[in-house]
Amino acid sequence: MERSPRPAVFDFHGVCMTEMVTNNWDNLQNFEARPDDILIAAYPKAGCTWVSYILDLLYFGHMGPDRQTSIPIYKRVPFLEMANPNLPTGTEMTNQLTTTPRIIKTHLPVQFVPKSFWEQRCKIVYVERNSKDSAVSYFHFNHMNKSQPDPGDWSSFLEKYIEGQVMYGSWFDHVTNWWEKWQPYSHIHYMSYEDLSLDLGQALDRLCSFLGLSPSAEEKEKLAAAVKFDKMKENNMVNYSTVPIMDQKISPFMRKGKVGDWKNHFTVYQNEMFDQGHKQKMKNSTLKCIARINHFNMTKKLPLSSPQDL
Ligand code: PPS
């Protein structure tokens, strides 16, 4: 059987993209957000599925077991910009949702988010993950997901990642541009993968407070148990095992779920090169590391530091 070729990235308004996003561009840009829509935004591999599942349980966990056992997460929380041939687009899937609020996922850089989300003042949850773990996770994901560009070997992928020559462009631009937007836009909750890993309970409390939700202690406990890595890994409705284009034998979607896995991949040289690039690209940003900032605010103990230390 002939293998379908991997898509190529190309420059699209200054950001590396593939046709999977640009195919549906006009519909995407004209998407009509509703005031109660909730957008989960993140650079790829930052923990979007984790946060999607948390939000789905917070809003719809009470709806009975059918939703949880028969509807995969990508149908409950559509991927807004997705436009794979022969499949419903993300905008169509979102418009077909019958539940309210609509929870929607995107990896779009902030400048590409359809303007209706800003006009309607929708709540937006931005999830950041430290750049090194994101790179490692993205590398494995690109291997197993045939709709992604071929990552090549680890060292050439890492070089492309630093230069933003991967799908969705530069991690540095993504997180810093969203961070800048957060400052004036109070409807964005900026959180991190590391927040969730370090202290799920506190991260949940902050998220609920932003969303205006007050689940009971029992509900929170139940939710925290359901969203543990091992539980999600074995849950076919959230582990993407129902998506044929992902070859989970190459690498499972729910791969390691750890902070600091980059240490198992980076050589000393790659680490130095990455730190240099990181320093250079982040030099004009006030963003340090949101996990530490949040943790610092909560405990007043940890020093502010760079994400590389995680
Ligand atoms: S995607 O394809 O961009 O939407 O991927 P995304 O869901 O954003 O990120 C996938 C990574 O998140 C990890 N993950 C988790 N880690 C810890 N706990 C839980 N519950 C959890 N759920 C998802 C997932 O394993 C991917 O990270 P890596 O490092 O590859 O394991």
Side-chain angles (χ1 to χ4, degrees):
M1 204 170 66
E2 205 177 304
R3 281 179 58 198
S4 57
R6 295 291 195 115
V9 287
F10 52 86
D11 181 275
F12 186 73
H13 302 294
V15 180
C16 254
M17 285 290 181
T18 68
E19 284 181 349
M20 190 197 88
V21 171
T22 60
N23 271 342
N24 192 35
W25 195 249
D26 290 346
N27 285 333
L28 176 64
Q29 289 307 309
N30 293 324
F31 175 78
E32 287 180 24
R34 299 180 193 153
D36 55 358
D37 284 345
I38 301 172
L39 187 66
I40 302 170
Y43 189 77
K45 312 321 288 177
C48 239
T49 311
W50 198 359
V51 175
S52 299
Y53 189 36
I54 290 172
L55 256 62
D56 184 70
L57 287 173
L58 280 171
Y59 282 99
F60 306 115
H62 62 275
M63 281 179 75
D66 277 5
R67 181 180 176 90
Q68 298 306 326
T69 54
S70 64
I71 311 178
I73 194 70
Y74 52 83
K75 289 196 178 157
R76 288 182 240 164
V77 179
F79 185 6
L80 184 66
E81 64 269 26
M82 192 193 68
N84 271 337
N86 309 322
L87 291 174
T89 62
T91 49
E92 283 164 353
M93 284 171 72
T94 307
N95 285 328
Q96 279 160 14
L97 286 176
T98 51
T99 39
T100 309
R102 302 188 300 185
I103 305 168
I104 307 163
K105 153 187 163 170
T106 185
H107 291 318
L108 288 172
V110 71
Q111 68 273 24
F112 290 167
V113 170
K115 63 177 185 321
S116 57
F117 283 97
W118 310 112
E119 289 166 353
Q120 299 290 353
R121 294 186 66 71
C122 299
K123 287 196 165 126
I124 300 179
V125 176
Y126 185 78
V127 192
E128 187 228 297
R129 185 180 193 181
N130 78 81
S131 51
K132 292 180 183 174
D133 283 336
S134 295
V136 170
S137 182
Y138 208 3
F139 171 70
H140 289 288
F141 180 69
N142 284 359
H143 267 299
M144 63 85 86
N145 184 343
K146 296 187 201 88
S147 69
Q148 288 287 119
D150 187 344
D153 64 25
W154 164 241
S155 75
S156 57
F157 176 80
L158 191 60
E159 278 171 31
K160 285 186 278 185
Y161 179 89
I162 294 172
E163 291 314 318
Q165 297 301 310
V166 293
M167 170 81 167
Y168 289 105
S170 156
W171 176 95
F172 307 97
D173 291 346
H174 206 282
V175 299
T176 53
N177 290 338
W178 271 99
W179 173 251
E180 300 309 325
K181 189 79 180 178
W182 170 72
Q183 322 270 351
Y185 191 75
S186 62
H187 286 218
I188 297 179
H189 179 66
Y190 199 109
M191 65 183 292
S192 78
Y193 182 97
E194 290 77 18
D195 280 340
L196 288 165
S197 294
L198 287 170
D199 195 334
L200 180 66
Q202 296 226 39
L204 279 180
D205 286 345
R206 292 165 62 90
L207 185 59
C208 287
S209 140
F210 167 74
L211 296 168
L213 299 175
S214 33
S216 66
E218 196 191 337
E219 283 165 333
K220 275 196 278 185
E221 214 171 289
K222 220 170 131 195
L223 187 150
V227 304
K228 281 207 161 55
F229 180 77
D230 292 342
K231 275 275 181 225
M232 283 183 63
K233 191 177 170 75
E234 69 192 25
N235 179 343
N236 288 339
M237 291 300 111
V238 297
N239 66 11
Y240 284 86
S241 55
T242 51
V243 177
I245 204 143
M246 296 187 188
D247 186 343
Q248 309 247 0
K249 285 197 229 76
I250 295 178
S251 178
F253 181 88
M254 300 290 299
R255 195 184 56 89
K256 282 232 179 134
K258 292 248 178 308
V259 177
D261 184 40
W262 65 267
K263 291 175 190 160
N264 298 315
H265 289 75
F266 282 60
T267 63
V268 172
Y269 170 74
Q270 285 169 344
N271 194 33
E272 282 169 6
M273 180 190 79
F274 195 95
D275 284 350
Q276 257 177 27
H278 192 106
K279 208 167 152 195
Q280 166 67 21
K281 289 175 196 301
M282 301 292 276
K283 72 173 189 288
N284 295 326
S285 176
T286 54
L287 174 64
K288 295 297 173 216
C289 177
I290 198 69
R292 284 182 179 268
I293 291 168
N294 285 347
H295 212 69
F296 179 77
N297 287 339
M298 287 186 287
T299 65
K300 306 278 183 233
K301 271 186 211 145
L302 285 174
L304 296 184
S305 176
S306 66
Q308 290 96 295
D309 298 338
L310 281 165

